[in-house]
DNA sequence: GATGAATGAGTATTCATTCAT
DNA sequence: TATGAATGAATACTCATTCAT
C-alpha cells in the first residue's frame, strides 16, 4: 500500500501558493523555491505536480479562469430580462475580479506571457479562446435581447461585445491602480448611459 | 578634437532598439546584450545612456507614451463639436496604438511591471498619472459637450471616462490577439450606440 | 503465507535492465528511475536488492564479467594443442564480446569509473584483478606451449599476454565504433602473422 | 581600446585546467565551478571561451589528440627503414601517452562519452576519424615496408594496423591500472616476437 | 515485500553590471 | 567616448535516497 495523498487537494494548494507568488513578484520574479516555500513543501514536490515552471504558471492561469467562470455562472441568474442579464454578466465579471483583486496581477502576467515569443503559442492561444468565449456569451445575450424587442435591432452585437469585454479588463486595470474607484458604480452609470443614450434627443 | 555625437539621436536609437527587444521577448527575456546588439553598439554604451536595465525600460515606456500623446494631439482637431472631439480622441488613441501595434507588447510588460513589488513604485505611479491625465481630458470634453447641450446633463463624466479609457485598452488587447478585428469599426459602432442609446425607447 | 519470490531471478532481472540502461545512457545518465521503469518494478524495489546506485553498477559489471568468463570457458576446449588453445582463448573472448556487443558500452563506463577518484578504489581494483587473471591464463598457455616445444623459448610470455589482452580490448573498441570490421578475421590474420613472423627471413 | 587578452593563451589555460579536472573526476563528476576554480577564473569566463560543458570537454579531447599527434610526428623520424618506422610509431604513441599518463583518464571518459546516446554523435564520429587516421598511417608504413621487401607480402596490413592500434590502447589501460608495467619493454618484446614469429620453424 | 511520494542537495547556464584599456 | 572581458549571484530542474503505508 502506498502513501495516500489527496492529489487534487495538494495540486490546488500548490496553485494557490503559486498564484500568490506570481501576483506578488511576477513570473520571472518568482522562483520555484519561492513557490515551494510558500506552499511549505519541497521544491521537488512542486515538480511532481507540474513538470515545469511554465506549466505551473499555465495551471494557475487556467485555475483562475475557471474560478472566475464559476463565480460568473453562479451570480448570473437566468430568470431576468435579457437586458438585465447583460448588466448582470458584466457586473458579475467585475465582482469576481474585485473579489480576487489581489490575484489580478496574475492576469497582467498572463497577458505579458502571451506577448513574449517564448511563451506566445500557449498563452496567446488560451487567451484568445477565453475572449472568444466571453464575447460569444455576450453576443448571444444581446441577440436574444434584440429578438425580445428589448434592444434596438440595428446595434452591432459583435462590436458591443468587444467593447464590453474590453471595458471590464480596462476598468479593472484602473481599479487595481486606484482602489478608490468603485467599479460597480462605474458599470451601473455606464449601462444607464448606454441604454438611454448620452446624446440629446 | 572631440567626437561630436548627437546625444539625443543616439538615445532615441537605443530606445527604439530596446523597444523592439522588449516587445519581442519581454522585460526579463531581454538582455542588455540583446539591446546592445540590436542597436549595434557595445554593452558599455547602453550604460552611458541608461544607468540600469530598469531605467532603460522606463525610458522606453516614457518614450512610447510621449509618442502616443503626440500622435493623439496631432490627430485631434479642436474645431469640431465637443461630441465629435470625444469620438476623435478615442479614435486617435486607437489609431496611434494600431500604428505601433508591434510595440503593443511593451505596454503589457509595463502593466506587469507595475504589478510586481520590485518595480511597482515607479511604474504603478507613472501609469496612474497617465490614466489620470487621459481621464481628465475625456472628462473635460464630456463636460464641455454637456455645457454645449450636446450631451445629456445627467451623464456621469468620470464613469464614462473610465469606461472609454478602459475600453481602448481592452479592445487593443483583443485586437493584438486577433488582428482580424477592425477596432475603428468597433469604436464607430459603439459610439453610435452610445449616443443614441441601445434600449428601445 | 509468504510471497515466494525467486530472489536470484529478480536480481538477474534487475541487472539485465540496469545493464541496458547503463549501456544506453552511461552511469550518470542513468537514473534509478530509469532502471526501475526498465525492469518494471518500483524504485524502492531496486533498493531492496542493491543498496546504492554504485552497488548496482558494480553488480552489473561483475555479472557481465562472469557471463563473459563463462562463455570463455565454455568455448575453450582443452584438448587442442597449446598453440591452438591460445588462439581459441583470444577468439572466444572476442566472440563473447561480439555476442553482447550492445552491452559493450558498460565496459567503457567501468573503465571510466575506475579512473574517477570517487569510484576508483572499487573499480580499479576489480579491473586489475580481472586483467591479472586473464594475463595469468595466457601466460600459462604460452609457457606450456613453450614447454611443449610449440613456441620459441625466448618469447616473453608476460609481454605477449599484455599485448594479447590489450589487443582484444582495443580491437573491440574499434569494432564497436565501426561494426563493418570483422574482428575474428583480424584475429586470425594476426595470429598467422604472429606465429610465422612478419619479417623476411 | 579594449582590454587586451591573449585569447589563445587563456583558452589553453582553461583547457589545461579542465583536462586535469576531467581526468580526476570524470565528465559528470566535474562541475564548471571546479574548472573555473582550477583555472582561477570566474565561472562566467569559462563560458566566454566554451559555450557549454560538452564543448569544453570536446575541446579538451581535441587538444589532447592534437598534442599526442604532435609528439608523435616529432618523435617519428623518417630516415629509418620502414620496419623501424613502424616500431617507432607505436613506441612514440606509447611514449606520448606515458608522458601525459595523468590525463589518460580523459581518454576513458571520451570513449564512454562516445557510447552514451546523449553524446554519441559528436564523440563517436571524432573517435572513428582518429582511429581511421592512425590505422591509415600504419597501413601505409606496412605497405611501404612490404614494397621495400622488409616485410612478408602476404601480411594483411589492415588487420595488423587494427591490432597494433588496439594494442596500444589496451596496453595503456593496463599500464594505467598498474604503473609497474613497462610498456616500452612490452612493445619491444612484442615487436621482436612479431617480426621473427613466435612459432617454432 | 512492495510502492511511490517527498526531500533537498547539487549544477549548468545566464546576465546585469563594472572597469581597464 | 567606446569597448567587451570579467565577475559571481541567481535559478530551473534532476535525482539518489528514505520511509510511511
Amino acid at each position: 500500500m502506498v502513501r495516500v495523498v489527496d492529489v487534487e487537494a495538494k495540486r490546488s494548494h500548490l496553485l494557490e501558493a503559486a498564484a500568490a507568488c506570481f501576483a506578488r513578484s511576477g513570473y520571472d520574479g518568482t522562483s520555484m523555491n519561492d513557490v515551494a516555500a510558500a506552499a511549505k513543501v519541497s521544491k521537488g514536490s512542486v515538480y511532481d505536480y507540474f513538470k515545469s515552471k511554465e506549466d505551473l504558471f499555465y495551471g494557475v492561469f487556467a485555475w483562475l479562469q475557471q474560478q472566475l467562470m464559476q463565480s460568473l455562472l453562479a451570480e448570473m441568474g437566468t430568470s431576468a430580462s435579457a437586458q438585465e442579464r447583460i448588466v448582470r454578466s458584466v457586473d458579475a465579471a467585475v465582482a469576481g475580479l474585485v473579489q480576487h483583486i489581489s490575484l489580478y496581477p496574475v492576469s497582467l502576467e498572463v497577458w505579458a506571457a502571451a506577448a513574449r515569443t517564448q511563451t506566445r503559442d500557449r498563452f496567446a492561444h488560451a487567451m484568445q479562446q477565453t475572449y472568444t468565449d466571453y464575447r460569444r456569451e455576450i453576443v448571444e445575450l444581446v441577440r436574444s435581447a434584440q429578438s425580445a424587442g428589448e434592444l434596438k435591432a440595428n446595434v452591432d452585437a459583435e462590436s458591443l461585445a468587444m467593447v464590453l469585454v474590453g471595458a471590464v479588463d480596462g476598468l479593472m486595470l484602473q481599479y487595481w491602480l486606484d482602489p478608490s474607484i468603485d467599479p460597480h458604480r462605474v458599470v451601473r452609470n455606464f449601462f444607464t448611459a448606454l441604454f438611454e443614450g448620452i446624446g440629446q434627443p
Side-chain angles (χ1 to χ4, degrees), chain A residues 27-83:
Chain A
Y27 181 74
D28 287 286
T30 296
S31 75
M32 292 302 263
N33 248 333
D34 294 340
V35 175
K40 292 178 202 269
V41 299
S42 74
K43 211 182 335 168
S45 275
V46 181
Y47 282 91
D48 285 345
Y49 291 82
F50 302 92
K51 74 176 201 293
S52 70
K53 188 182 178 183
E54 196 194 301
D55 254 42
L56 173 61
F57 184 56
Y58 187 83
V60 168
F61 158 67
W63 180 68
L64 289 178
Q65 205 55 53
Q66 195 194 355
Q67 305 247 98
L68 183 61
M69 186 57 93
Q70 279 182 355
S71 67
L72 244 167
L73 296 174
E75 291 193 40
M76 205 177 87
T78 49
S79 55
S81 71
Q83 176 173 321

Side-chain angles (χ1 to χ4, degrees), chain A residues 94-112:
Chain A
V94 169
L97 288 163
V98 167
Q99 197 184 345
H100 304 293
I101 192 64
S102 68
L103 297 183
Y104 183 70
V106 173
S107 297
L108 302 179
E109 288 291 328
V110 171
W111 299 356

Side-chain angles (χ1 to χ4, degrees), chain A residues 11-200:
Chain A
R11 213 185 114 95
S12 289
H13 176 63
L14 285 169
L15 285 171
E16 205 163 344
C21 293
F22 286 132
R24 189 182 315 114
S25 315
Y27 181 74
D28 287 286
T30 296
S31 75
M32 292 302 263
N33 248 333
D34 294 340
V35 175
K40 292 178 202 269
V41 299
S42 74
K43 211 182 335 168
S45 275
V46 181
Y47 282 91
D48 285 345
Y49 291 82
F50 302 92
K51 74 176 201 293
S52 70
K53 188 182 178 183
E54 196 194 301
D55 254 42
L56 173 61
F57 184 56
Y58 187 83
V60 168
F61 158 67
W63 180 68
L64 289 178
Q65 205 55 53
Q66 195 194 355
Q67 305 247 98
L68 183 61
M69 186 57 93
Q70 279 182 355
S71 67
L72 244 167
L73 296 174
E75 291 193 40
M76 205 177 87
T78 49
S79 55
S81 71
Q83 176 173 321
E84 202 177 319
R85 263 153 56 205
I86 295 174
V87 180
R88 280 198 198 172
S89 300
V90 171
D91 212 57
V94 169
L97 288 163
V98 167
Q99 197 184 345
H100 304 293
I101 192 64
S102 68
L103 297 183
Y104 183 70
V106 173
S107 297
L108 302 179
E109 288 291 328
V110 171
W111 299 356
R116 296 174 198 138
T117 47
Q118 322 119 28
T119 38
R120 181 167 308 173
D121 282 354
R122 189 181 211 174
F123 289 91
H125 184 264
M127 276 184 66
Q128 209 174 346
Q129 189 59 53
T130 303
Y131 280 116
T132 304
D133 291 348
Y134 282 135
R135 289 190 306 237
R136 180 179 312 120
E137 209 70 36
I138 303 277
V139 165
E140 278 172 21
L141 285 177
V142 171
R143 295 228 167 108
S144 56
Q146 289 175 316
S147 302
E150 298 174 23
L151 293 186
K152 289 178 182 165
N154 67 336
V155 168
D156 184 62
E158 301 270 7
S159 296
L160 190 57
M162 283 178 194
V163 169
L164 290 181
V165 167
V168 170
D169 279 342
L171 187 56
M172 290 314 297
L173 181 56
Q174 292 172 70
Y175 168 62
W176 187 82
L177 285 168
D178 176 2
S180 74
I181 291 174
D182 175 354
H184 288 291
R185 194 184 142 270
V186 171
V187 167
R188 220 179 309 122
N189 287 339
F190 170 70
F191 269 119
T192 303
L194 179 63
F195 284 124
E196 299 177 357
I198 65 174
Q200 292 291 9

